[in-house]
Amino acid sequence: MKLMRWGAPGAERPGLVDDDGQLRDLSAHCPVLDGAALAPEVLERLRRIDPARLPLLPPETRLGLPWSGMGKFLCVGLNYADHAAEAGMAVPAEPVLFMKPPSCAIGARDTVWLPRGSTRTDWEVELGVVIGRQASYVDEADALSHVAGYCVVNDVSEREYQLERGGTWDKGKGCDSFGPIGPWLVTADEVADPQDLTLWLDLNGQPMQRGSTRTMVFGVAQLVSYISRFMTLYPGDLISTGTPPGVGMGRKPQPVYLKAGDEMRLGVQGLGEQQLRVQARPQP
């Protein structure tokens, strides 16, 4: 299934995407699409619903976050060797973890706002992994059974804040609107192999990122197992698994950063596409 939430910000309702790509209203069968709704038994009940019997939604309907109640927005840094090289950093011996606050998350067609004074805001297309069953100290062989589904994530990053303002990366990762997610959550049964998906991002129609999850340093099962040793993962938690090369700060001969009026289009194979406009946050 392709699950999504639709409607005005703060008033989103559950929906799904049928086999013809049409948006359908699921709210009569699932009043709230949150972490609890991602449990295997709930997803199985939703699969038995005939999408053709659900009300159609207009194609221009706003899509919000695909699910609500995300407790953790976890990210993995430098998880593609070629991206680590363009960033001038070593390939890590263990996964590099950091967090983005859930408050930065927006829908797949919403506006990305440049922070006041920002000159080095960058893009990162990533595969997102959504937890459906509580995971603590899980074995790698069992890790994928804790995954409800997958989604597209754009780990928007202000590089000056991230790398030059002292402390950890969080300052450059957590600005409002820096976590576009979706357009939908694709349940795990529709993703045959999360380690064989293409990723891409275009800026103003120009190709920037092209990659494949085949070249991850640490695969999805490894990451779920590894992270569960340090913290319990709960239904609705999100793991963003790292980005392939082609980010703005790695462009040669001159870095390229986002500016007001830019348009990003990005996607992951089988998981849908984001289309995001960039605007400058107004001065006070």
mmCIF file of all heavy atoms in Angstrom, residues 113-119 121 158 161 175 178 279 281 283:
data_model
loop_
_atom_site.group_PDB
_atom_site.id
_atom_site.type_symbol
_atom_site.label_atom_id
_atom_site.label_comp_id
_atom_site.label_asym_id
_atom_site.label_seq_id
_atom_site.Cartn_x
_atom_site.Cartn_y
_atom_site.Cartn_z
ATOM 1 N N TRP A 113 11.914 26.707 3.620
ATOM 2 C CA TRP A 113 12.230 28.089 3.978
ATOM 3 C C TRP A 113 13.705 28.212 4.340
ATOM 4 O O TRP A 113 14.203 27.503 5.214
ATOM 5 C CB TRP A 113 11.363 28.537 5.154
ATOM 6 C CG TRP A 113 9.921 28.660 4.800
ATOM 7 C CD1 TRP A 113 8.947 27.731 5.004
ATOM 8 C CD2 TRP A 113 9.282 29.767 4.146
ATOM 9 N NE1 TRP A 113 7.741 28.178 4.527
ATOM 10 C CE2 TRP A 113 7.915 29.430 3.994
ATOM 11 C CE3 TRP A 113 9.745 31.001 3.677
ATOM 12 C CZ2 TRP A 113 7.009 30.298 3.394
ATOM 13 C CZ3 TRP A 113 8.830 31.865 3.071
ATOM 14 C CH2 TRP A 113 7.488 31.511 2.943
ATOM 15 N N LEU A 114 14.398 29.106 3.656
ATOM 16 C CA LEU A 114 15.783 29.389 4.001
ATOM 17 C C LEU A 114 15.822 30.182 5.304
ATOM 18 O O LEU A 114 15.124 31.195 5.442
ATOM 19 C CB LEU A 114 16.455 30.207 2.894
ATOM 20 C CG LEU A 114 16.533 29.558 1.510
ATOM 21 C CD1 LEU A 114 17.106 30.555 0.515
ATOM 22 C CD2 LEU A 114 17.359 28.289 1.548
ATOM 23 N N PRO A 115 16.642 29.767 6.275
ATOM 24 C CA PRO A 115 16.753 30.552 7.509
ATOM 25 C C PRO A 115 17.265 31.962 7.216
ATOM 26 O O PRO A 115 17.981 32.191 6.231
ATOM 27 C CB PRO A 115 17.767 29.758 8.344
ATOM 28 C CG PRO A 115 17.775 28.385 7.762
ATOM 29 C CD PRO A 115 17.482 28.558 6.308
ATOM 30 N N ARG A 116 16.915 32.899 8.067
ATOM 31 C CA ARG A 116 17.377 34.278 7.904
ATOM 32 C C ARG A 116 18.913 34.314 7.893
ATOM 33 O O ARG A 116 19.561 33.797 8.784
ATOM 34 C CB ARG A 116 16.837 35.157 9.024
ATOM 35 C CG ARG A 116 15.328 35.341 8.952
ATOM 36 C CD ARG A 116 14.789 36.026 10.187
ATOM 37 N NE ARG A 116 13.330 36.098 10.132
ATOM 38 C CZ ARG A 116 12.554 36.324 11.183
ATOM 39 N NH1 ARG A 116 13.099 36.512 12.378
ATOM 40 N NH2 ARG A 116 11.240 36.377 11.043
ATOM 41 N N GLY A 117 19.481 34.899 6.873
ATOM 42 C CA GLY A 117 20.928 35.011 6.762
ATOM 43 C C GLY A 117 21.626 33.804 6.184
ATOM 44 O O GLY A 117 22.846 33.828 6.005
ATOM 45 N N SER A 118 20.887 32.768 5.865
ATOM 46 C CA SER A 118 21.519 31.556 5.336
ATOM 47 C C SER A 118 22.056 31.788 3.926
ATOM 48 O O SER A 118 21.395 32.383 3.077
ATOM 49 C CB SER A 118 20.508 30.409 5.311
ATOM 50 O OG SER A 118 20.989 29.329 4.533
ATOM 51 N N THR A 119 23.268 31.275 3.678
ATOM 52 C CA THR A 119 23.864 31.327 2.335
ATOM 53 C C THR A 119 24.336 29.959 1.851
ATOM 54 O O THR A 119 24.800 29.840 0.719
ATOM 55 C CB THR A 119 25.071 32.288 2.316
ATOM 56 O OG1 THR A 119 26.061 31.837 3.255
ATOM 57 C CG2 THR A 119 24.646 33.708 2.671
ATOM 58 N N THR A 121 22.556 26.661 2.298
ATOM 59 C CA THR A 121 21.571 25.597 2.500
ATOM 60 C C THR A 121 21.651 24.605 1.351
ATOM 61 O O THR A 121 21.686 24.984 0.182
ATOM 62 C CB THR A 121 20.158 26.187 2.644
ATOM 63 O OG1 THR A 121 20.114 26.987 3.832
ATOM 64 C CG2 THR A 121 19.120 25.081 2.763
ATOM 65 N N GLU A 158 21.889 23.232 6.420
ATOM 66 C CA GLU A 158 22.611 24.502 6.282
ATOM 67 C C GLU A 158 24.063 24.226 6.672
ATOM 68 O O GLU A 158 24.384 23.985 7.835
ATOM 69 C CB GLU A 158 21.989 25.567 7.182
ATOM 70 C CG GLU A 158 22.024 26.986 6.623
ATOM 71 C CD GLU A 158 23.407 27.579 6.395
ATOM 72 O OE1 GLU A 158 24.398 27.057 6.912
ATOM 73 O OE2 GLU A 158 23.497 28.613 5.706
ATOM 74 N N TYR A 161 25.936 26.392 9.398
ATOM 75 C CA TYR A 161 25.435 26.089 10.736
ATOM 76 C C TYR A 161 25.910 24.710 11.189
ATOM 77 O O TYR A 161 26.242 24.495 12.359
ATOM 78 C CB TYR A 161 23.912 26.103 10.757
ATOM 79 C CG TYR A 161 23.237 27.397 10.401
ATOM 80 C CD1 TYR A 161 23.955 28.542 10.057
ATOM 81 C CD2 TYR A 161 21.853 27.480 10.396
ATOM 82 C CE1 TYR A 161 23.318 29.716 9.721
ATOM 83 C CE2 TYR A 161 21.203 28.659 10.075
ATOM 84 C CZ TYR A 161 21.933 29.773 9.727
ATOM 85 O OH TYR A 161 21.280 30.926 9.401
ATOM 86 N N CYS A 175 16.472 23.143 11.224
ATOM 87 C CA CYS A 175 15.692 24.362 10.967
ATOM 88 C C CYS A 175 14.292 23.996 10.464
ATOM 89 O O CYS A 175 14.089 22.961 9.819
ATOM 90 C CB CYS A 175 16.401 25.234 9.941
ATOM 91 S SG CYS A 175 18.067 25.749 10.408
ATOM 92 N N PHE A 178 13.183 21.794 7.230
ATOM 93 C CA PHE A 178 14.371 21.085 6.735
ATOM 94 C C PHE A 178 14.189 19.560 6.675
ATOM 95 O O PHE A 178 15.170 18.839 6.488
ATOM 96 C CB PHE A 178 15.583 21.435 7.587
ATOM 97 C CG PHE A 178 16.337 22.660 7.124
ATOM 98 C CD1 PHE A 178 15.719 23.643 6.370
ATOM 99 C CD2 PHE A 178 17.678 22.838 7.436
ATOM 100 C CE1 PHE A 178 16.407 24.768 5.942
ATOM 101 C CE2 PHE A 178 18.386 23.947 7.011
ATOM 102 C CZ PHE A 178 17.753 24.911 6.260
ATOM 103 N N GLN A 279 11.978 29.233 -0.569
ATOM 104 C CA GLN A 279 11.714 30.649 -0.328
ATOM 105 C C GLN A 279 12.572 31.139 0.829
ATOM 106 O O GLN A 279 12.983 30.343 1.680
ATOM 107 C CB GLN A 279 10.233 30.882 -0.022
ATOM 108 C CG GLN A 279 9.298 30.533 -1.164
ATOM 109 C CD GLN A 279 9.468 31.422 -2.386
ATOM 110 O OE1 GLN A 279 10.003 32.533 -2.281
ATOM 111 N NE2 GLN A 279 9.046 30.940 -3.547
ATOM 112 N N ARG A 281 13.010 33.061 4.291
ATOM 113 C CA ARG A 281 12.180 33.441 5.421
ATOM 114 C C ARG A 281 12.185 34.958 5.562
ATOM 115 O O ARG A 281 13.254 35.568 5.579
ATOM 116 C CB ARG A 281 12.677 32.765 6.700
ATOM 117 C CG ARG A 281 11.782 33.000 7.910
ATOM 118 C CD ARG A 281 12.161 32.108 9.058
ATOM 119 N NE ARG A 281 11.952 30.693 8.760
ATOM 120 C CZ ARG A 281 10.753 30.096 8.763
ATOM 121 N NH1 ARG A 281 9.676 30.803 9.035
ATOM 122 N NH2 ARG A 281 10.658 28.824 8.501
ATOM 123 N N GLN A 283 12.331 38.698 6.781
ATOM 124 C CA GLN A 283 12.983 39.376 7.887
ATOM 125 C C GLN A 283 11.927 39.981 8.827
ATOM 126 O O GLN A 283 10.828 40.313 8.369
ATOM 127 C CB GLN A 283 13.910 40.485 7.376
ATOM 128 C CG GLN A 283 15.057 39.983 6.520
ATOM 129 C CD GLN A 283 16.030 39.118 7.284
ATOM 130 O OE1 GLN A 283 16.295 39.367 8.451
ATOM 131 N NE2 GLN A 283 16.553 38.077 6.628
#
